């Protein structure tokens, strides 16, 4: 399969554009394509935003996909003959021209590996390494369409495996870079790595929404975003939490050693990744996460006042006045 087969539908995200491309070939001649696509008929931006904002919706089943030998699943001659006699059998055998064209353009595993996955791989690379505000020169509609085709052609399992492997390798490199960071840059670099990854997920998850709906949720009973957040927890956060937490506590005791926004981002991020990490430093987490500590009691009011006075002295020592 050549590159042109993936470029033909760049003109739009509607049903006809999707059905008339070289791999879908007029599926909707009898309304079948529209039944399948559902929200895919809307503009891409609307679809992605709706998918990201509201989560997965109930979708119709994927289409019957041709086997490699050119026989459609579910079209056994015996079944057709039993229901409609010779006429029904003839109708099942007499595949129309558009279906024949579809059969000749099946995406084989070789096509997937040589043409489709390389495009996805390149786009994921750019999304994982972009800085906030960077312009990414990729076609989101083309990538979305690429994922859709691969799902329809039964490559979801391979695509999910490739995606997990790709992101795991990236996170292992990130972890090694953090390990080589000096202590005075460690907190800031962890904050950059965490923010960059969570930002990338805001694009990666919607682009793979069809794989999420028809494979991960349906067959694995999981969610893509949860799986990708878990990867960061396992390959980065868990490996660095025992080095990171003492530095955060030291920075807390030395006002303005790091910016308040950096401290807030990291603490909230760690709480999102694994809430039980609160037990490592309850006082630190309570500064940014509500209801971490037990309610205040009257018998400890003097202790609270002493803590406030200490903070005020530290602020004055650093040039702040009342």
């Amino acid at each position: 399969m050549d590159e042109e087969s993936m470029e033909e539908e760049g003109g739009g995200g509607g049903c006809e554009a999707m059905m008339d491309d070289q791999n879908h070939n007029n599926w909707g001649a009898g309304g079948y394509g529209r039944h399948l696509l559902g929200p895919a008929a809307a503009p891409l931006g609307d679809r992605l935003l709706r998918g990201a904002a509201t989560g997965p919706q109930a979708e119709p089943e994927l289409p019957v996909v041709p086997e490699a030998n050119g026989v459609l699943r579910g079209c056994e001659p015996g079944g057709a003959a039993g229901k409609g006699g010779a006429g029904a059998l003839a109708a099942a055998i007499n595949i129309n021209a558009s279906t024949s064209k579809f059969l000749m353009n099946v995406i084989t595993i070789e096509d997937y590996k040589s043409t489709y996955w390389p495009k996805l791989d390149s786009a994921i690379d750019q999304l994982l390494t972009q800085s906030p505000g960077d312009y990414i020169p990729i076609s989101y509609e083309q990538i979305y369409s690429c994922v859709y085709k691969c799902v329809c052609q039964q490559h979801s399992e391979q695509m999910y495996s490739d995606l997990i492997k790709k992101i795991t390798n990236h996170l292992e490199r990130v972890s090694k870079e953090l390990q080589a960071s000096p202590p005075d840059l460690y907190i800031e670099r962890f904050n950059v790595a965490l923010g960059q990854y969570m930002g990338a997920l805001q694009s990666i998850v919607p682009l793979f929404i069809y794989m999420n709906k028809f494979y991960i949720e349906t067959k694995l009973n999981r969610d893509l975003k949860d799986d990708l957040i878990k990867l960061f927890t396992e390959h980065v956060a868990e490996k660095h939490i025992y080095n990171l937490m003492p530095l955060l506590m030291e920075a807390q005791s030395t006002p303005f050693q790091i910016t308040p926004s950096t401290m807030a981002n990291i603490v909230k991020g760690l709480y999102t990744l694994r809430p039980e990490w609160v037990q490592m430093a309850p006082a630190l987490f309570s500064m940014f996460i509500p209801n971490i500590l037990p309610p205040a009691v009257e018998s400890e009011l003097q202790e609270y006042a002493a803590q406030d006075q200490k903070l005020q002295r530290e602020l004055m020592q650093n040039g702040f006045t009342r």
Side-chain angles (χ1 to χ4, degrees), residues 203-269:
S203 295
I204 293 174
V205 172
L207 286 175
F208 285 86
I209 190 171
Y210 265 94
M211 182 182 72
N212 191 42
K213 286 185 177 180
F214 292 114
Y215 177 70
I216 302 175
E217 289 183 354
T218 304
K219 295 188 177 180
L220 304 182
N221 295 316
R222 296 202 303 267
D223 178 76
L224 178 59
K225 184 177 181 180
D226 293 341
D227 283 359
L228 298 185
I229 289 177
K230 184 179 179 181
L231 287 181
F232 188 91
T233 304
E234 293 177 347
H235 295 282
V236 179
E238 283 183 353
K239 294 181 179 179
H240 293 272
I241 187 66
Y242 294 104
N243 293 329
L244 179 65
M245 194 59 67
L247 293 175
L248 290 175
M249 296 175 69
E250 180 183 349
Q252 179 197 17
S253 64
T254 308
F256 309 105
Q257 180 175 331
I258 63 173
T259 64
S261 61
T262 296
M263 181 71 80
N265 289 340
I266 294 178
V267 171
K268 291 179 180 179

Side-chain angles (χ1 to χ4, degrees), residues 142-161:
Q142 183 185 71
I143 300 305
Y144 182 88
S145 171
C146 181
V147 171
Y148 169 77
K149 291 179 182 180
C150 292
V151 170
C152 289
Q153 296 275 337
Q154 306 291 304
H155 295 302
S156 294
E157 182 176 1
Q158 182 66 53
M159 185 163 52
Y160 176 73
S161 175

